[in-house]
Amino acid sequence: MDETGLRALLERVADDPAPPSRVDITAARQRGRRRIRRRRAALGAAPVAAAAAVAVVVSGVIPASLGFGRDGLRPGPGTALSRFNPLVPYAAFGWLPSGFSAAAGTAMTKTTDESGTRSVIVTAGDQAAGRLVTLTVTAAGACRVTGPVQDRTVVSTGGAHTQIRAFHYPHGLSCDYGYAGRVVTPLSRAAPPVRGGAAFYSPDGGLAWQYAPGSWARLTPFVLVTGGGTIRQDERRQYQAAAGWAPGPAHPGIPAPVQSAATRALLREVAARVSFGRTARIAFPFRLPALPTGWAVSGAGYTVSGGRQLGTGALTAGPAADPGALNVQAERSGLGSACKIVPGQWSRTHIQRARAAVSTVDKPGIHVQQVCAEDVAGLYLWLSLDSDVPRTTRPVPGAAGLGGAVHLAGRLRLLGADPAAWTTAPVG
Amino acid sequence: MSSRRNDEFTDYVTERMWWLRRLAYLLCQDWQRADDLVQATITRLYTHWGRAAAVEHTDGYVRTMLVREYLSERRSGWARRVSLTAEPPDSASAPGDREGALDLRAALAGLPPRQRATLVLRFYCDLNVDQAAELLGCSPGTVKSQTAKGIGALRRTLQPPERGPGDFNSGPDGLEVQPHG
């Protein structure tokens, strides 16, 4: 392949028929206005912001103010929260089908934006069969059921030919994921209530239900393909069948997947036994020094092992202007994580007497320092710190006081490779 | 923000939506994620619209925002953790070219994010080495090596039966391309 060939191939892929856009320009304007207002307000209210951040960490939850039955749909018995504490995952699987394990999947509290953490995402898997199921729990007020929606999707008509058809669904579930924007999931038909809460099937094979007033959760089944890659839409049924997701008989004109009654019942059972209002905290292999005034933890990734939630994904923190300014990830060394050193960009350094590498990007709009060590106190460690708000020339408030990524990494209290010694208070 | 500037922003984004979504799709390889990326980008664009509208080449400014947003998202643990799920693509390619395009999509999806971004910037956006380096915040040499490695990886993925490691020693820009171990 030469450059000409690559250009032609990229053009061809870019010309693929696109599904209807989910991008909402009005929402972007509204959210952008809120950010501008918050930024202006923060300039004169840093002490207030710090107090609010502490309140989130200490109390764990902020009760929502939404009323019951706002959209006329019956809610489940859960408690509605308008914001989640990223250090205390709010939901977990309470039961999984045979062969599934939360340990086989990964779990994540998604970093959103300065509006707070609005969703918790937990994945469980059956690696032997190549099946995954993702639980997405959104905060109160993040989602609402809409009227009819249209979705265009690919329908195989046999052989190598495909057709794109528009499907109309009676409802959609419109969810605001904060940083990631608003996503509308079509809802194909009503499902039996889940613990009394209104529920719907979605044409992607998932199940959505109102677990608490104004609060929605979704289960989405996936198929794991070893080695990555993509699955053609018309191959989806065969993969699902092979993985044991048990698609039902084909229904002409209905987009894949068509699920069997048994699979739908399985999803309803998983949904009914999801555990909400969890108070178990994530245990981290490090402790950061106190964060600057106005900073708060905005997200945390974790895996589940031995019934514990281990903070081996990235912990993010920052001020409202850049909630992801600081990223710290640590896990037991030797598990496959490696420092990706780019010659010319990285140089050697030491962290706590261990060999490490540091990269400093100092360009207009990007001022970030990253440091990585493959074995420091038995841990793989990666830390990055923005000194300017991305795409601006404004410094991240408080970042200068941290002294750069290398300095901060040197001040981390590293707790070793044994999770028994890890801490549920990773800051301060 | 004044009503006039609101209208300017809306008009600009509406006109460029097709382009933004396709560029995001080439980077993300998934329409849903592409729309998420565009949504995040135009939200940030709104907060910086005064500056964006004032620069000589607004499209370039927005393209930079989108690519850096993409790389910033990929940097987070969230993006790394969820990428193992193989969600089906949302749409089909044109009949006739379907298999080739699907193979390319799979090959592109297998590239590291910065390599993919480098190839898209060089060969879809037609940026030269220096322009791509400035956008990505790296040296021209890094862009050249990322380009060479990316093309080498695509070759290996798209033409595995006919090619051996020894065939990949000539990359674009006259660079030597080392086979991956």
Side-chain angles (χ1 to χ4, degrees):
Chain A
M1 179 195 300
D2 58 14
E3 291 184 14
T4 304
L6 179 55
R7 285 180 206 278
L9 285 169
L10 287 171
E11 289 283 355
R12 201 169 72 191
V13 172
D15 283 342
D16 278 356
S21 173
R22 292 177 166 131
V23 179
D24 186 339
I25 299 173
T26 303
R29 287 197 332 225
Q30 291 170 344
R31 197 169 295 117
R33 267 197 294 273
R34 284 199 298 272
R35 285 185 186 177
I36 292 170
R37 279 200 298 270
R38 268 198 297 271
R39 189 189 305 157
R40 287 172 180 163
L43 290 175
V48 176
V54 171
V56 171
V57 172
V58 172
S59 67
V61 299
I62 297 175
S65 57
L66 292 176
F68 282 71
R70 189 180 183 185
D71 52 11
L73 295 167
R74 187 177 177 81
T79 303
L81 304 179
S82 59
R83 182 180 296 198
F84 300 129
N85 180 346
L87 299 179
V88 188
Y90 181 70
F93 289 106
W95 176 84
L96 288 165
S98 174
F100 273 79
S101 165
T106 50
M108 202 70 198
T109 299
K110 189 175 180 181
T111 302
T112 53
D113 67 356
E114 59 269 38
S115 65
T117 48
R118 306 270 285 172
S119 62
V120 177
I121 299 173
V122 190
T123 301
D126 174 359
Q127 286 195 318
R131 295 187 295 176
L132 294 168
V133 61
T134 296
L135 166 67
T136 304
V137 178
T138 51
C143 300
R144 60 183 171 82
V145 173
T146 71
V149 297
Q150 176 183 297
D151 194 32
R152 293 164 70 87
T153 191
V154 175
V155 180
S156 173
T157 56
H161 301 290
T162 58
Q163 283 186 341
I164 296 176
R165 287 185 52 184
F167 290 90
H168 298 271
Y169 298 99
H171 298 287
L173 185 66
S174 176
C175 295
D176 183 355
Y177 290 103
Y179 189 81
R182 183 169 286 280
V183 175
V184 179
T185 302
L187 302 174
S188 48
R189 62 192 178 89
V194 175
R195 299 186 68 188
F200 297 88
Y201 295 116
S202 51
D204 61 0
L207 174 72
W209 75 104
Q210 189 173 209
Y211 68 90
S215 309
W216 288 82
R218 290 190 63 216
L219 281 175
T220 311
F222 288 97
V223 178
L224 177 67
V225 177
T226 306
T230 56
I231 306 172
R232 294 203 303 265
Q233 186 85 345
D234 57 349
E235 292 175 332
R236 189 169 180 174
R237 284 175 55 81
Q238 100 185 42
Y239 275 102
Q240 287 195 313
W245 269 129
H251 290 194
I254 295 180
V258 177
Q259 289 179 311
S260 69
T263 301
R264 290 196 298 269
L266 197 67
L267 287 175
R268 291 199 306 273
E269 181 69 14
V270 173
R273 294 163 76 168
V274 166
S275 170
F276 296 101
R278 309 269 298 180
T279 57
R281 303 177 70 91
I282 302 170
F284 293 87
F286 58 84
R287 178 177 280 184
L288 285 159
L291 295 174
T293 301
W295 282 44
V297 173
S298 56
Y302 59 93
T303 51
V304 181
S305 177
R308 297 186 72 199
Q309 298 167 145
L310 303 179
T312 55
L315 181 147
T316 56
D322 186 3
L326 172 64
N327 278 255
V328 187
Q329 186 191 3
E331 63 182 338
R332 194 152 55 88
S333 59
L335 294 182
S337 291
C339 299
K340 296 175 179 60
I341 308 298
V342 180
Q345 281 190 297
W346 291 74
S347 57
R348 291 289 174 192
T349 186
H350 287 83
I351 297 172
Q352 305 190 17
R353 294 188 296 280
R355 293 180 60 181
V358 60
S359 160
T360 303
V361 178
D362 191 15
K363 301 274 186 182
I366 307 178
H367 296 271
V368 58
Q369 188 175 61
Q370 299 177 67
V371 63
C372 184
E374 295 189 346
D375 187 356
V376 50
L379 296 170
Y380 160 86
L381 174 69
W382 173 75
L383 187 151
S384 81
L385 179 64
D386 292 337
S387 54
D388 278 5
V389 176
R391 295 164 290 281
T392 76
T393 55
R394 290 181 293 108
V396 175
L402 293 172
V406 175
H407 181 72
L408 182 58
R411 295 173 61 207
L412 283 180
R413 185 176 164 208
L414 299 173
L415 303 175
D418 181 5
W422 294 5
T423 181
T424 56
V427 177
Chain B
M1 190 174 278
S2 71
S3 170
R4 184 174 65 82
R5 293 176 74 185
N6 263 336
D7 292 343
E8 285 177 1
F9 169 84
T10 303
D11 290 344
Y12 174 86
V13 172
T14 303
E15 284 177 12
R16 299 298 196 281
M17 187 59 71
W18 186 94
W19 167 68
L20 284 169
R21 292 186 76 213
R22 271 152 181 78
L23 179 55
Y25 176 60
L26 282 174
L27 294 170
C28 300
Q29 300 297 300
D30 177 285
W31 280 112
Q32 185 160 319
R33 287 183 188 161
D35 280 355
D36 289 346
L37 176 60
V38 172
Q39 186 75 43
T41 301
I42 66 171
T43 300
R44 286 192 180 273
L45 174 63
Y46 183 86
T47 66
H48 301 292
W49 178 245
R51 191 186 311 165
V55 299
E56 187 176 341
H57 186 25
T58 301
D59 286 351
Y61 186 97
V62 176
R63 179 175 56 213
T64 300
M65 288 181 78
L66 185 136
V67 173
R68 289 181 180 170
E69 189 76 35
Y70 162 71
L71 293 174
S72 165
E73 285 184 356
R74 300 297 303 185
R75 188 189 67 184
S76 73
W78 155 246
R80 285 199 303 272
R81 293 287 169 177
V82 299
S83 60
L84 84 166
T85 63
E87 196 171 358
D90 292 320
S91 64
S93 54
D97 289 334
R98 184 164 161 270
E99 292 300 331
L102 285 167
D103 287 345
L104 177 65
R105 266 207 296 269
L108 279 172
L111 293 180
R114 288 188 77 86
Q115 268 181 29
R116 194 187 313 153
T118 304
L119 293 186
V120 170
L121 290 173
R122 293 289 316 282
F123 303 117
Y124 182 72
C125 301
D126 284 323
L127 299 192
N128 62 33
V129 170
D130 289 338
Q131 290 167 330
E134 184 179 354
L135 192 157
L136 293 168
C138 62
S139 69
T142 301
V143 169
K144 288 180 183 176
S145 66
Q146 293 276 310
T147 302
K149 286 177 181 173
I151 290 182
L154 289 180
R155 281 177 180 155
R156 282 191 294 278
T157 306
L158 295 174
Q159 301 168 325
E162 292 79 28
R163 297 280 184 161
D167 296 324
F168 300 124
N169 56 2
S170 178
D173 304 317
L175 288 174
E176 290 288 302
V177 181
Q178 299 297 324
H180 290 227

